[in-house]
Amino acid sequence: MSEPITTQARTRGRVKDPFLLLAVPSLLLLGVLFALPILFLLLKSFRGTDGGVSIAGYIAFFSDPYMLTALRRTIVIALETTLLTLVLGYPTAFALARARGLVQTCILIAMILPLSVGVIVKAFAWSIVFRSDGVINKTLLGLGIIDAPLRLLFTETALVIGAANIFLPFMVLPVYAVIRQINPNLGAAAATLGAGPFFRFFRVTLPLTLPGVVAGAAFVFSMAVSMYVIPNLIVGERSQMLSMLIARSFLYLRDEQMGSTMSAVLLVIAAMIVVLSSLILKRLSGRQA
Amino acid sequence: MTLTDRIAILLSWLIALLACIYLLTPLIITVIVSFTSSTVYTLPPPDWSLRWYQSMARKPDLLSALWLSVNLALISTVIALVVGTLASLAIVRGRFPGREALATFSVSPLMMPGLVVGVALLQFFREFGLTDAYWSLLLAHIVITLPYVVRTLVAALEKFDFSLIDAAQTLGLPYPKAVLKVLVPGLAPAFLTSGMFAFLASMDNYPISIFLTDAWNKTLPIKMLQYLEETPDPTIAAISTGLIALALVALIVGSRTVGLNRMIH
């Protein structure tokens, strides 16, 4: 640690670690603009009509079949989206790690360029693809595979395809980051020791890449469970997700009680993913250390 | 290499190719649609035209939304870079308890549903009488951008060799100058990439901003979605193509100066 900062801290008195001071602006900002408002929202979800503490909002939420359907749909769609990004993203990350030169640059640009294009534009482009007069239907009709246009837009399959497209880089990049740190000789070493390809994958490669998979999956799931713009443009009002119901209750219905309760439910799901994934990551890093 | 290995490698290349095509599909469609002569979104376009690029100039409300978004993104990114760098130094160099909790807390706005953060800020600002949309948006956008800076800078600082600063001091540089000459250039790529991601995240944010706008302060994504709902003509595609071109230029510059691989860690 460097001299000048330590002396400065001494003059200021009781602070034990001068570096703690550097965190103060960010703690203040996030405390006031993030933690406090969310605490407010949580408290509000427990406020009854008479101003006292009440769980009426939660009872109303969990006894409403419509809400439960929306909750289940939200979780299922987020799971399907995560699974699709994993199936496509995991092998892609390996290809990216093996690629060199121009091929690597091309794959990296395919990963990063879409991140710079707004979600609205991408979701809208997918809605064009899935229209009844869209590219897919025109191609299938032209090839004579179908006689009448398929109903693709407004389906949950279309939503998952569109959402996974937008979140795919967030799965590939963390897995790729982990693969780059694996010693390439490990696989060869295992092979020398007589491990077959399947054994090598499940006992060497997969455990080593698991931290990247967990990080990627947690990020994709938490974004997918709370996405708003994408379902809005691809499925519209037909299959409501929790986020859309929240927006509706605040922006149109002015039902802030129900909105706060739904927000709290969504928040708990997101917080559970954060806690769960960091626990898994900690266990994984503990095992390797 | 066994046959199974070869098949696995071939399969991973095939899926990677598929993934790249899949990733670029919405971008390619947007570019194609922007050059259509038709007033509706049909593919392939009946004829080519630049009319939607010309129509862009006649949409002052879209341009003012673009300006507001750039303004918010620039200011919030700069603030996030300053505050976030300090916090990252505290997380990496500090020895106080709770550093890990601080790190998790600093990036947690990224993992929380944007819509919920937006709703919470709306109620909070209302409670404290902050009704000005511009200031509400700016404060919210600092919360949006800060996690990106902390996430990238913590990773970069963990790899940085701090003894270099001591070395510079031993060689006679005063401490502030040593930091300026050694630490700042060493972190330049991290500043650049985290700043870029923070800027883009702010530019693209819809779910938080939607709760904080008023009739005069609408950011670009909000204006665009509203525009798509009201008059869905390919002007939006033209604007997006312009943004894609800008991003491509930034990426090429980035790959020449920092290297694409370093940009993403």
Side-chain angles (χ1 to χ4, degrees):
Chain A
M1 225 162 283
S2 345
E3 261 318 293
I5 281 196
T6 353
T7 9
Q8 194 184 3
R10 210 170 289 140
T11 51
R12 287 202 193 170
R14 291 178 299 277
V15 184
K16 277 195 193 116
D17 189 338
F19 280 104
L20 190 57
L21 287 174
L22 298 182
V24 169
S26 123
L27 271 174
L28 270 178
L29 266 175
L30 285 181
V32 173
L33 296 174
F34 173 67
L36 257 174
I38 284 192
L39 202 67
F40 252 63
L41 186 82
L42 284 176
L43 288 176
K44 191 160 184 186
S45 72
F46 283 107
R47 201 180 299 160
T49 37
D50 56 344
V53 177
S54 144
I55 54 163
Y58 290 91
I59 294 174
F61 179 87
F62 284 106
S63 60
D64 185 343
Y66 183 71
M67 294 292 171
L68 289 180
T69 312
L71 176 64
R72 197 181 56 229
R73 187 187 292 128
T74 303
I75 292 173
V76 168
I77 287 175
L79 278 177
E80 287 170 350
T81 305
T82 311
L83 203 66
L84 184 55
T85 60
L86 186 62
V87 169
L88 279 173
Y90 193 74
T92 305
F94 274 92
L96 178 58
R98 223 175 273 128
R100 292 286 169 272
L102 190 64
V103 180
Q104 193 188 39
T105 308
C106 284
I107 304 181
L108 276 175
I109 284 185
M111 291 297 142
I112 309 176
L113 188 60
L115 295 182
S116 56
V117 179
V119 167
I120 288 168
V121 173
K122 281 182 283 187
F124 187 67
W126 283 110
S127 77
I128 302 172
V129 175
F130 291 123
R131 268 175 204 184
S132 55
D133 58 348
V135 191
I136 296 180
N137 268 320
K138 271 190 182 164
T139 316
L140 291 177
L141 282 170
L143 291 172
I145 297 173
I146 51 169
D147 303 321
L150 298 174
R151 195 176 141 265
L152 300 166
L153 191 62
F154 309 126
T155 63
E156 283 169 17
T157 316
L159 171 57
V160 170
I161 292 174
N165 174 265
I166 288 157
F167 301 141
L168 184 57
F170 298 103
M171 179 63 88
V172 177
L173 296 180
V175 178
Y176 170 59
V178 178
I179 295 175
R180 276 205 299 181
Q181 284 161 12
I182 298 178
N183 186 340
N185 295 324
L186 272 179
T192 326
L193 293 171
F198 288 101
F199 187 85
R200 253 185 295 146
F201 178 76
F202 285 107
R203 297 306 293 269
V204 181
T205 315
L206 186 63
L208 285 173
T209 51
L210 222 45
V213 173
V214 172
F219 200 55
V220 172
F221 186 84
S222 73
M223 284 191 298
V225 91
S226 57
M227 60 186 173
Y228 170 71
V229 175
I230 312 165
N232 215 7
L233 278 168
I234 299 183
V235 284
E237 300 288 308
R238 284 163 210 239
S239 45
Q240 292 279 2
M241 291 177 71
L242 220 47
S243 56
M244 300 160 85
L245 292 175
I246 293 174
R248 203 180 56 170
S249 63
F250 275 98
L251 293 174
Y252 305 114
L253 302 179
R254 310 271 167 201
D255 181 0
E256 303 205 344
Q257 178 60 53
M258 194 36 124
S260 302
T261 308
M262 288 191 287
S263 301
V265 172
L266 199 55
L267 205 64
V268 168
I269 299 175
M272 265 163 44
I273 303 163
V274 174
V275 171
L276 207 69
S277 65
S278 61
L279 279 180
I280 296 175
L281 285 175
K282 204 170 268 177
R283 275 202 64 172
L284 286 175
S285 68
R287 201 195 299 159
Q288 271 156 30
Chain B
M1 223 186 265
T2 64
L3 185 65
T4 328
D5 286 323
R6 276 170 219 269
I7 293 173
I9 290 172
L10 188 70
L11 208 64
S12 76
W13 282 116
L14 271 176
I15 293 177
L17 181 70
L18 198 79
C20 287
I21 296 170
Y22 175 53
L23 277 169
L24 293 175
T25 300
L27 278 61
I28 293 163
I29 287 172
T30 306
V31 174
I32 294 174
V33 167
S34 78
F35 290 108
T36 188
S37 62
S38 161
T39 49
V40 289
Y41 289 82
T42 47
L43 278 174
D47 216 337
W48 305 100
S49 143
L50 288 173
R51 59 190 285 200
W52 303 114
Y53 288 88
Q54 292 158 349
S55 113
M56 227 159 55
R58 290 193 302 270
K59 302 282 191 293
D61 51 340
L62 276 174
L63 290 177
S64 68
L66 174 66
W67 168 240
L68 175 66
S69 274
V70 171
N71 175 313
L72 287 173
L74 266 181
I75 298 177
S76 62
T77 301
V78 169
I79 295 174
L81 274 172
V82 175
V83 174
T85 307
L86 296 179
S88 311
L89 275 168
I91 290 166
V92 176
R93 296 292 281 165
R95 292 289 164 267
F96 52 91
R99 278 179 310 127
E100 254 178 68
L102 177 63
T104 311
F105 178 56
S106 302
V107 294
S108 58
L110 253 181
M111 301 285 283
M112 289 298 126
L115 214 68
V116 176
V117 178
V119 168
L121 280 173
L122 170 75
Q123 295 189 329
F124 189 74
F125 287 153
R126 215 195 282 147
E127 190 85 24
F128 287 92
L130 177 64
T131 48
D132 186 87
Y134 176 80
W135 285 101
S136 312
L137 281 168
L138 184 62
L139 290 173
H141 279 243
I142 295 171
V143 177
I144 296 164
T145 48
L146 194 56
Y148 287 91
V149 175
V150 175
R151 195 177 60 172
T152 310
L153 273 167
V154 165
L157 281 171
E158 270 167 357
K159 285 183 203 144
F160 185 80
D161 184 3
F162 278 89
S163 59
L164 286 176
I165 296 178
D166 300 337
Q169 278 183 283
T170 320
L171 293 174
L173 276 183
Y175 184 72
K177 219 169 179 179
V179 168
L180 212 66
K181 293 249 165 165
V182 180
L183 185 66
V184 173
L187 292 180
F191 286 137
L192 198 75
T193 56
S194 66
M196 195 183 85
F197 283 120
F199 184 87
L200 291 173
S202 163
M203 283 289 286
D204 192 33
N205 184 273
Y206 182 91
I208 298 180
S209 310
I210 182 67
F211 293 102
L212 306 172
T213 52
D214 58 18
W216 304 275
N217 293 282
K218 282 193 161 56
T219 60
L220 189 62
I222 292 167
K223 200 75 210 172
M224 271 163 76
L225 199 61
Q226 190 190 343
Y227 193 87
L228 278 176
E229 280 160 0
E230 288 164 3
T231 39
D233 71 38
T235 310
I236 297 293
I239 292 176
S240 305
T241 304
L243 293 176
I244 293 173
L246 274 181
L248 198 58
V249 170
L251 268 188
I252 291 169
V253 171
S255 72
R256 285 289 149 95
T257 51
V258 188
L260 284 182
N261 244 322
R262 282 190 74 184
M263 283 172 72
I264 55 162
H265 304 278

Coordinates of all heavy atoms in Angstrom, one line a residue, chain A residues 26-37, chain B residues 105:
Chain A
S26 N -20.1 5.4 -4.5 CA -20.9 4.4 -5.2 C -21.9 3.8 -4.2 O -23.1 3.6 -4.6 CB -20.0 3.4 -5.9 OG -20.3 2.1 -5.4
L27 N -21.5 3.6 -3.0 CA -22.5 3.1 -2.0 C -23.6 4.1 -1.8 O -24.8 3.6 -1.7 CB -21.7 2.9 -0.7 CG -21.1 1.5 -0.4 CD1 -20.3 1.5 0.9 CD2 -22.1 0.4 -0.4
L28 N -23.3 5.4 -1.7 CA -24.4 6.4 -1.6 C -25.3 6.4 -2.8 O -26.5 6.3 -2.6 CB -23.7 7.8 -1.4 CG -23.4 8.2 0.0 CD1 -22.7 9.6 -0.1 CD2 -24.6 8.3 0.8
L29 N -24.7 6.4 -4.0 CA -25.5 6.4 -5.2 C -26.5 5.2 -5.3 O -27.7 5.3 -5.4 CB -24.6 6.5 -6.4 CG -24.3 7.8 -7.0 CD1 -23.3 7.7 -8.1 CD2 -25.6 8.5 -7.5
L30 N -25.9 4.0 -5.1 CA -26.7 2.8 -5.3 C -27.6 2.6 -4.1 O -28.7 2.1 -4.2 CB -25.8 1.6 -5.4 CG -25.1 1.4 -6.8 CD1 -24.3 0.2 -6.9 CD2 -26.2 1.4 -7.9
G31 N -27.2 3.0 -2.9 CA -28.0 2.9 -1.7 C -29.3 3.8 -1.9 O -30.4 3.3 -1.7
V32 N -29.1 5.0 -2.3 CA -30.2 5.9 -2.4 C -31.1 5.7 -3.7 O -32.3 5.7 -3.6 CB -29.7 7.4 -2.4 CG1 -30.9 8.4 -2.7 CG2 -29.1 7.7 -1.0
L33 N -30.4 5.3 -4.8 CA -31.1 5.2 -6.0 C -31.5 3.8 -6.4 O -32.1 3.6 -7.5 CB -30.3 5.9 -7.2 CG -30.0 7.3 -7.0 CD1 -29.1 7.8 -8.1 CD2 -31.3 8.1 -7.1
F34 N -31.1 2.8 -5.6 CA -31.4 1.4 -6.0 C -31.9 0.7 -4.8 O -33.1 0.2 -4.9 CB -30.1 0.8 -6.6 CG -30.3 -0.7 -6.9 CD1 -31.1 -1.1 -7.9 CD2 -29.5 -1.6 -6.2 CE1 -31.2 -2.5 -8.1 CE2 -29.7 -3.0 -6.4 CZ -30.5 -3.4 -7.4
A35 N -31.1 0.6 -3.8 CA -31.6 -0.3 -2.6 C -32.8 0.3 -1.9 O -33.8 -0.4 -1.7 CB -30.4 -0.4 -1.6
L36 N -32.7 1.6 -1.6 CA -33.9 2.2 -0.9 C -35.2 2.2 -1.7 O -36.2 1.8 -1.1 CB -33.5 3.7 -0.6 CG -33.1 4.0 0.9 CD1 -32.7 5.5 1.0 CD2 -34.3 3.7 1.8
P37 N -35.1 2.6 -3.0 CA -36.4 2.5 -3.7 C -37.0 1.1 -3.8 O -38.2 0.9 -3.6 CB -36.0 2.9 -5.1 CG -34.8 3.8 -4.9 CD -34.1 3.2 -3.8
Chain B
F105 N -23.2 -6.2 -4.6 CA -24.2 -5.1 -4.6 C -24.0 -4.2 -5.8 O -25.0 -3.7 -6.4 CB -24.0 -4.4 -3.2 CG -24.9 -3.2 -3.1 CD1 -26.3 -3.3 -3.2 CD2 -24.4 -1.9 -2.8 CE1 -27.1 -2.2 -3.1 CE2 -25.2 -0.8 -2.7 CZ -26.6 -1.0 -2.8

